[in-house]
Amino acid sequence: MEVVCRDLAVEYVSSGYRIRPFDGLDLEVGPGEIVLLLGSSGCGKTTLLSVLAGILRPLRGSVRVAGVEVTELSARSLRAYRQRSVGIVFQAFNLVPSLSAAENVEVPLLAHGTGRHGARGTARELLERVGLSDRLSHRPAALSGGEQQRVAFARALALNPPVLLADEPTAHLDYIQVETVLLLLRKIASEGRTVVVATHDERFLPLATRAVEMSPRPIVESLEPTTIDLGPGEIIFKQGDPGDRAYIVEEGEIEIVRPRADGAEEVVSKIGPGGNFGELAPMFGLPRSATARASKPSRLVGLSPSDLQPWLTKHALIDN
């Protein structure tokens, strides 16, 4: 089953601010493919999985799964889509503590109308497939992290969905358990399923058909300094943009602003001559956390973050 996203944008509210983790994202994943969503925390990996699962509606854009436009489905149709088309493996496993491994896998089957006997048989088969035939009656507290993860995979496959979404599936596992999960994902994809994995774990790379970088890589090379002249209101970068340079204000004033949930705009700080900003995004591979614009005619020097401190030290000595 093919998954196709076009011009996708998502916006949500966090601590009173509007956050847009990605804007204009395109993605295509075909049957049998394993695609990794790579990036640091907060870059939108889990958010994108939620959109693909029909849990979160995007601000803009198209999500088509097997030719069906997910963004246009009614609430009732979305429930059916989530039951039949996508299996989700959550980072925290989300197993029911009071139920056994087999009973946890039976839950989606029973909710879908499968009889008790049929649900029990399917759960047993799935748990055998993931190597847990001797753990059917164990509750989550009696299972290791890797075993709980495999129960979560079995539950996600209970209704035989053509698309599997996995959020940080190795986050709580040791290296032996990680190997088991990698082999399991390869087997799931080989059966013709479309698999999308959100992770920061680059051990997945040899397994994947390809990887999608959800956040820019940290800038390590030195960039030539550049001078930028701006008029009042001109924007240097917007919240959510990738970052490549840090900036020093030579003349004028720069406002750092964030959009609030109520539609208003908050000026977080104002930076005058001699001040600097914008180094954290390129240094740590993060999207820009705010918008920077000139509040008056301004001149900036843009340079790589690794050159920021030497530049400041050199020019401070010259000025003195």
Side-chain angles (χ1 to χ4, degrees):
M1 181 177 288
E2 188 177 35
V3 175
V4 180
C5 300
R6 290 284 182 263
D7 193 30
L8 202 60
V10 169
E11 186 174 272
Y12 59 85
V13 176
S14 177
S15 301
Y17 296 106
R18 291 184 182 273
I19 306 296
R20 194 172 295 185
F22 52 82
D23 193 343
L25 183 143
D26 293 329
L27 177 70
E28 289 188 27
V29 192
E33 286 193 308
I34 300 176
V35 169
L36 303 185
L37 308 178
L38 288 176
S40 54
S41 297
C43 69
K45 303 188 300 295
T46 300
T47 301
L48 179 54
L49 291 187
S50 297
V51 172
L52 296 178
I55 296 170
L56 180 66
R57 285 193 182 273
L59 178 71
R60 185 188 73 247
S62 169
V63 179
R64 298 186 71 82
V65 178
V68 176
E69 181 56 53
V70 178
T71 62
E72 295 177 358
L73 295 177
S74 65
R76 183 176 180 178
S77 296
L78 271 175
R79 284 194 296 273
Y81 165 78
R82 285 193 289 267
Q83 284 184 333
R84 299 169 186 166
S85 298
V86 294
I88 307 171
V89 180
F90 298 96
Q91 180 177 349
F93 311 147
N94 288 6
L95 301 179
V96 181
S98 61
L99 299 182
S100 68
E103 289 167 340
N104 266 281
V105 179
E106 290 172 21
V107 167
L109 291 158
L110 295 172
H112 189 60
T114 305
R116 174 79 55 186
H117 181 73
R120 187 175 297 115
T122 299
R124 180 182 294 274
E125 290 174 11
L126 287 168
L127 289 169
E128 287 176 353
R129 282 182 57 196
V130 298
L132 293 176
S133 58
D134 59 342
R135 294 288 189 268
L136 299 178
S137 61
H138 288 62
R139 293 182 180 179
L143 300 173
S144 70
E147 289 170 338
Q148 290 183 55
Q149 183 67 281
R150 281 182 279 163
V151 174
F153 270 103
R155 183 183 57 188
L157 297 172
L159 295 174
N160 196 28
V163 178
L164 180 73
L165 309 175
D167 189 12
E168 296 285 3
T170 59
H172 309 291
L173 309 183
D174 61 35
Y175 71 94
I176 295 174
Q177 296 167 341
V178 166
E179 182 176 297
T180 302
V181 170
L182 295 177
L183 291 172
L184 181 58
L185 281 170
R186 176 181 288 168
K187 182 177 180 181
I188 290 168
S190 71
E191 296 168 349
R193 288 189 177 85
T194 301
V195 180
V196 183
V197 180
T199 184
H200 66 279
D201 190 344
E202 295 192 0
R203 290 175 294 186
F204 275 100
L205 284 171
L207 178 74
T209 310
R210 54 196 163 85
V212 177
E213 291 282 355
M214 296 293 290
S215 61
R217 292 282 181 172
I219 300 297
V220 293
E221 74 274 15
S222 181
L223 303 173
E224 285 295 320
T226 181
T227 300
I228 304 168
D229 290 305
L230 300 165
E234 285 194 75
I235 292 174
I236 303 100
F237 54 74
K238 294 182 179 180
Q239 183 190 78
D241 284 349
D244 60 350
R245 293 179 182 270
Y247 297 93
I248 297 164
V249 181
E250 287 196 328
E251 300 174 11
E253 183 181 74
I254 302 299
E255 294 179 330
I256 307 298
V257 298
R258 286 179 178 165
R260 294 195 58 82
D262 59 7
E265 196 175 65
E266 179 179 346
V267 177
V268 179
S269 62
K270 295 185 178 183
I271 302 166
N276 61 277
F277 64 97
E279 67 271 21
L280 295 182
M283 190 178 295
F284 294 101
L286 299 169
R288 298 291 189 184
S289 62
T291 296
R293 70 180 177 214
S295 58
K296 59 180 70 172
S298 302
R299 171 166 289 189
L300 311 179
V301 175
L303 65 170
S304 57
S306 59
D307 293 330
L308 177 62
Q309 196 57 49
W311 195 96
L312 290 170
T313 301
K314 176 182 176 182
H315 286 74
L317 290 172
I318 292 174
D319 291 345
N320 290 335

